[in-house]
Amino acid sequence: MNNTGIMSPDLQGRTMSQNETAERILVVDDEMNMCLALERLYRRAGYEVKYGCDSETLYKIAASWQPHLIVLDVRLAREDGREVARNFRTMYDIPIMMLTGKVEVQDRIRGLESGADDYVCKPYDPGELVARTRALLRRYHHDGKSGGESDAPVRIDRNRRMLVCPNGSEMRITEIQANIMTVLLERKGEVISREVLYGLVFKRPWVPGDRSLDVHVSNLRKALASLNSPGVAIQSIRNIGYQLVME
């Protein structure tokens, strides 16, 4: 690991070809060495990169350059990165990956609630960071951030609190179940830890031994099964959390 918080890089064989270099990444961090390290990392992976040190630069570059992804440090010199993310989200529909030196679950939850799409703790492996970047861009640009596409195996009608299938079949669910399904749909294919999912749904820290989330997920699975929608499943990832899989 070097003094930028990035572990010693070894990206041989993991760089992108020039045919895959459409994405543009904007790094916002008040530490110049971190900006330069991330610029090198992402350029080696085939991305176009620009960087800035504050929200003023963020908005200026976002308006003129239209990046595909924002990589934002949670602790800027004179600003709270979470507040910057929250304000930015009201104006731009661009995914945000937030970086932090904090590892507590509640910090990750607050970052996600502020509008961040992913939350990465320092120090991080460069290969993992690039892989998560690719996954976020792929999920965001190809899948979108709605409650499910019209041709997906299932979507949520939030106004009526219903699970809806393309064939018209519906199933009423509880508000908690709707919140769980919304998070899973927004991050389908991604493994979400029990602590993070609990915090996003219940707005409080998860306490070890609390099985309420598991009960709600079990009931949500029963609702999905009653819809007879074979293209969607909530998988339990042992000792971690849950993953929504859709065909």
Side-chain angles (χ1 to χ4, degrees):
M1 183 180 70
N2 55 38
N3 60 8
T4 65
I6 301 177
M7 294 182 181
S8 299
D10 179 12
L11 294 179
Q12 185 175 0
R14 285 182 278 182
T15 56
M16 299 171 65
S17 69
Q18 292 302 310
N19 292 328
E20 300 176 276
T21 58
E23 288 91 356
R24 298 180 296 276
I25 297 177
L26 171 57
V27 175
V28 181
D29 195 304
D30 59 351
E31 295 185 12
M32 182 57 64
N33 62 341
M34 178 62 74
C35 288
L36 294 175
L38 289 172
E39 179 191 34
R40 288 192 299 269
L41 175 67
Y42 280 127
R43 286 191 184 280
R44 288 182 61 194
Y47 295 100
E48 296 181 41
V49 186
K50 290 189 177 182
Y51 54 83
C53 62
D54 53 28
S55 61
E56 181 179 354
T57 308
L58 165 65
Y59 285 108
K60 183 177 180 179
I61 297 179
S64 61
W65 196 50
Q66 298 182 332
H68 295 96
L69 173 68
I70 307 298
V71 178
L72 174 65
D73 189 73
V74 72
R75 297 186 68 178
L76 301 176
R78 295 180 296 276
E79 301 170 284
D80 185 333
R82 291 182 294 263
E83 195 62 33
V84 172
R86 183 177 292 107
N87 294 333
F88 184 82
R89 182 62 77 200
T90 65
M91 301 177 62
Y92 292 93
D93 187 24
I94 299 173
I96 300 172
M97 178 180 288
M98 192 163 282
L99 306 179
T100 180
K102 297 182 177 181
V103 297
E104 289 80 7
V105 170
Q106 280 305 108
D107 289 306
R108 297 202 301 271
I109 291 172
R110 283 193 290 269
L112 293 168
E113 288 181 334
S114 71
D117 297 275
D118 200 357
Y119 207 77
V120 181
C121 295
K122 305 173 185 175
Y124 35 80
D125 175 80
E128 179 187 1
L129 182 61
V130 170
R132 291 178 69 164
T133 296
R134 290 175 182 165
L136 176 54
L137 286 167
R138 183 169 59 250
R139 184 178 78 238
Y140 199 93
H141 293 298
H142 293 287
D143 294 338
K145 288 175 65 66
S146 67
E149 301 85 10
S150 59
D151 61 346
V154 68
R155 64 181 181 85
I156 294 180
D157 184 330
R158 293 288 307 193
N159 293 329
R160 296 188 300 136
R161 205 187 301 159
M162 304 281 279
L163 289 175
V164 182
C165 287
N167 62 12
S169 59
E170 300 178 335
M171 172 63 65
R172 188 172 299 281
I173 55 178
T174 68
E175 182 67 23
I176 293 295
Q177 291 167 8
N179 291 340
I180 293 172
M181 197 64 186
T182 296
V183 175
L184 293 174
L185 281 167
E186 288 179 348
R187 300 171 181 277
K188 58 180 175 285
E190 177 182 339
V191 177
I192 306 176
S193 73
R194 179 177 283 102
E195 294 88 346
V196 168
L197 182 58
Y198 186 99
L200 290 172
V201 171
F202 293 99
K203 311 300 182 185
R204 62 177 185 267
W206 177 69
V207 177
D210 186 340
R211 307 293 294 178
S212 57
L213 177 65
D214 303 299
V215 172
H216 285 292
V217 170
S218 176
N219 291 333
L220 185 54
R221 283 174 171 149
K222 293 176 183 177
L224 289 169
S226 69
L227 288 173
N228 193 27
S229 180
V232 58
I234 302 175
Q235 295 185 348
S236 295
I237 308 301
R238 186 176 177 83
N239 297 326
I240 300 178
Y242 297 99
Q243 179 185 35
L244 182 68
V245 178
M246 299 178 70
E247 298 178 357

